[in-house]
Amino acid sequence: MQLITNGQNLVVNATSIQVNIECELHGNNANEIDVSAFLLNKDNKTRNDDDFIFYNQPSSLNRAVTLSSGNAQKQSFTINLAAIDADIHKIVFVITTPSAFKLASFLKVSVDNLLEFSPALTGMSETSLNLAEVYRHNGQWKFRAIGQGYAGGLAPIAIGYGVDIDGKPNETQSVTPTTPSPVISKPASNTANKPVNIKKVDLSKAGEKATISLEKGNKLTAKLQWDTQADLDLYCFYVDKNDIEEKVYYKKLGSLTAPPFIKLLGDSQVAGEEIVEISQPDNIKYALICAYSAVSNGIGSFHSYKARVEVTDGKKQSVTSHLNHNDPKSYWVAFALIDFQQAGQVTIKNVETYSSPSEFKAQMKQRTGKEPKFFSRSNPTVNGVSKYDPERSPHLFKDGSFMMSAGIVEFK
């Protein structure tokens, strides 16, 4: 049995597997543990109600995925990978409990005798957890450990994956909810769940921005997602309430239970996603979400990788920053600037900016009034940097402004 950690993925060399989810709670709620699976297409959505496997619908239409939940503390999915429809790209496994996960004695998910993952539960106040996923990659099935908590129970997760838990279309036109999230309860008979078109905000151009509400105690999540086989790295540069300028990335994963209260959930080296969570947004003033393209990727633009960043509160609110330009020679791109200064809300701004000699010169001149010259011995300096280096990271300053190629040199 191989033990894996958040963000780690392994190839599943089998045509049929059993995914076991085990959780132990104390008290009278021990039997109220629910697990579910979502069969998702390339758009990360269920196709229809048959793709939501849970206590009241324990198998998919062709029985390729079947839930066995006789014992609440150990529930299993039997999955015939060879029978999964071709347009299903991913199966996500979720667990929901009546009390916060920090109160659980243990929680783990395992695949046969191949691998096991136990997410960190310390300080986790959520009652729903995106545990793991099985997904297609280059003609193979792979397993990825996630361990991402959600507030509000199962409902926000189901809605996010396109399930209409109310049985009627969702007419929400804003990312700021005006009514409480609906609650899923166990019905006495089978209830159809129809797909719903959830309205989300897409920031397609630099300068566009959106504001979402953020209740006290809620986490914020930023996801770097891409669709090609490239090694991209998510960086979260931040300024905290003490004006400390720092970053969370693959060499410094951070923490959700201690400063900076920001954590990168693993380092993916294949097509997919990397996730950073901010557990105490009121500890942060600004965050800049960036991506770095490893030298091993060769020539290729972030745009061609279909890279984008989604910022979500884990409920109904989601803002995605997209890229609009091809820039194949840049190692760095800044996607989104998140402003936490206003109580009860955050503002996400698309700041699509690439590292390049011309961008470095323009930003240097804007900050110092002087343009750096290639052969000059007295070039202006910002943050101790006077010359362009394509490997230098961006830097986020105390006032929420940032400059490309003004940080330290990063290699991978």
Side-chain angles (χ1 to χ4, degrees):
M1 182 81 71
Q2 181 170 349
L3 303 181
I4 63 174
T5 59
N6 285 53
Q8 191 173 355
N9 57 75
L10 290 175
V11 173
V12 177
N13 290 315
T15 57
S16 181
I17 59 173
Q18 183 167 298
V19 177
N20 303 304
I21 299 174
E22 299 178 60
C23 181
E24 183 175 300
L25 297 175
H26 294 296
N28 297 328
N29 294 327
N31 292 322
E32 298 180 25
I33 302 170
D34 294 312
V35 300
S36 52
F38 297 87
L39 281 64
L40 307 179
N41 61 19
K42 62 180 179 61
D43 298 318
N44 225 37
K45 299 291 182 183
T46 55
R47 301 166 302 178
N48 52 53
D49 58 303
D50 298 317
D51 293 338
F52 179 28
I53 313 304
F54 66 120
Y55 46 78
N56 198 48
Q57 185 169 270
S59 66
S60 59
L61 191 61
N62 64 352
R63 302 192 64 82
V65 180
T66 302
L67 168 64
S68 173
S69 55
N71 179 358
Q73 296 186 21
K74 182 176 180 179
Q75 304 181 58
S76 302
F77 291 95
T78 302
I79 305 173
N80 183 354
L81 295 173
I84 300 295
D85 292 341
D87 57 344
I88 294 298
H89 289 238
K90 181 189 300 183
I91 305 171
V92 175
F93 303 98
V94 173
I95 182 170
T96 305
T97 62
S99 56
F101 281 105
K102 63 184 178 182
L103 303 177
S105 300
F106 72 87
L107 170 62
K108 66 179 180 180
V109 56
S110 60
V111 177
D112 296 323
N113 293 317
L114 303 175
L115 57 89
E116 182 180 299
F117 166 57
S118 296
L121 303 178
T122 304
M124 185 174 286
S125 60
E126 293 86 354
T127 57
S128 287
L129 191 70
N130 188 332
L131 262 178
E133 63 187 22
V134 175
Y135 63 100
R136 297 182 194 268
H137 178 67
N138 288 345
Q140 295 178 309
W141 285 98
K142 301 187 76 174
F143 178 93
R144 177 185 288 122
I146 300 176
Q148 179 185 356
Y150 285 83
L154 180 59
I157 300 179
I159 291 171
Y161 287 139
V163 177
D164 179 8
I165 64 176
D166 291 328
K168 59 185 179 180
N170 188 312
E171 300 296 335
T172 303
Q173 298 297 320
S174 169
V175 293
T176 304
T178 56
T179 57
S181 298
V183 177
I184 290 183
S185 59
K186 291 186 179 181
S189 61
N190 205 14
T191 302
N193 295 285
K194 301 176 183 179
V196 62
N197 182 21
I198 300 297
K199 296 294 183 182
K200 299 183 179 181
V201 172
D202 286 292
L203 306 178
S204 59
K205 297 180 181 179
E208 294 180 343
K209 59 184 178 179
T211 298
I212 64 176
S213 63
L214 191 65
E215 298 177 7
K216 188 173 180 62
N218 279 6
K219 290 181 180 180
L220 198 72
T221 300
K223 302 178 183 179
L224 169 65
Q225 300 171 316
W226 66 99
D227 296 342
T228 62
Q229 191 174 2
D231 183 8
L232 302 185
D233 291 300
L234 171 62
Y235 280 67
C236 178
F237 299 87
Y238 65 87
V239 176
D240 70 8
K241 63 182 180 182
N242 297 316
D243 284 336
I244 294 175
E245 303 169 356
E246 255 296 354
K247 63 179 178 289
V248 166
Y249 66 123
Y250 68 94
K251 290 183 179 178
K252 187 186 290 186
L253 297 178
S255 172
L256 295 177
T257 57
F261 303 104
I262 304 174
K263 186 173 183 179
L264 176 67
L265 304 182
D267 175 26
S268 175
Q269 297 185 1
V270 296
E273 68 179 17
E274 291 195 2
I275 301 171
V276 66
E277 281 189 2
I278 303 175
S279 63
Q280 294 189 20
D282 55 357
N283 188 63
I284 305 299
K285 288 185 176 180
Y286 303 100
L288 180 67
I289 307 301
C290 299
Y292 170 75
S293 178
V295 178
S296 60
N297 291 331
I299 298 297
S301 69
F302 291 97
H303 184 273
S304 70
Y305 302 146
K306 299 181 181 178
R308 67 269 183 198
V309 165
E310 178 189 17
V311 178
T312 175
D313 67 344
K315 295 185 177 180
K316 292 183 178 180
Q317 304 178 98
S318 171
V319 178
T320 302
S321 290
H322 298 273
L323 299 178
N324 217 14
H325 300 285
N326 264 312
D327 199 330
K329 296 182 179 180
S330 295
Y331 289 110
W332 291 92
V333 62
F335 280 92
L337 179 66
I338 309 174
D339 186 342
F340 296 88
Q341 295 282 68
Q342 189 70 32
Q345 66 182 41
V346 294
T347 299
I348 301 100
K349 182 179 180 181
N350 184 325
V351 293
E352 180 182 2
T353 310
Y354 299 88
S355 60
S356 69
S358 59
E359 184 65 35
F360 179 77
K361 287 183 179 180
Q363 291 191 337
M364 181 67 79
K365 185 175 182 180
Q366 183 180 17
R367 288 181 172 274
T368 66
K370 298 179 180 179
E371 183 175 301
K373 304 295 183 182
F374 186 78
F375 293 106
S376 175
R377 295 182 179 272
S378 58
N379 276 325
T381 299
V382 173
N383 198 40
V385 177
S386 60
K387 293 182 180 181
Y388 172 71
D389 186 321
E391 287 280 346
R392 283 195 179 276
S393 71
H395 187 85
L396 178 64
F397 296 93
K398 293 179 178 62
D399 61 358
S401 64
F402 69 95
M403 180 173 173
M404 304 301 289
S405 310
I408 68 171
V409 175
E410 294 287 355
F411 291 97
K412 184 173 183 181

